[in-house]
Amino acid sequence: MADNADRAGELLEQRMAHALTGYRLPESNDDPYCEECGEEIPAARREAAPWAATCIECQGLREQRGRHVR
C-alpha cells in the first residue's frame, strides 16, 4: 500500500514529465560577435552557452535594463 510520500513522489514525477514535454534547448548562435558591442564573444562563454548572442558584460547590462530576451 502506497503512503502519502509515495503518492507525492509519483505526482511530482508526472508533473515534471508534463512540464518537460516539448522542451528544447536553445539553438546555438553561430555568430562569434556580440550583437551589442560587436566584440568577439570569448570562446569559454560560447562553449558554456552556445546560444549566447552577447558577451558577458553586455548580457549583464541587458539584465540590469530588463532586456534579457533572446
Side-chain angles (χ1 to χ4, degrees):
M1 183 162 137
D3 64 2
N4 286 338
D6 290 333
R7 284 189 288 258
E10 289 172 9
L11 181 60
L12 180 62
E13 286 181 25
Q14 290 172 355
R15 289 186 178 178
M16 291 286 289
H18 178 71
L20 294 174
T21 299
Y23 178 77
R24 296 179 324 179
L25 290 174
E27 294 182 23
S28 65
N29 180 22
D30 295 331
D31 186 5
Y33 297 97
C34 175
E35 64 183 30
E36 293 283 329
C37 68
E39 296 291 320
E40 185 171 0
I41 299 171
R45 175 160 170 77
R46 286 186 280 132
E47 185 176 320
W51 56 86
T54 57
C55 65
I56 196 74
E57 291 84 10
C58 289
Q59 184 64 34
L61 291 172
R62 272 186 173 187
E63 291 177 9
Q64 287 176 358
R65 292 187 305 245
R67 289 185 37 212
H68 53 276
V69 176
R70 284 186 214 148

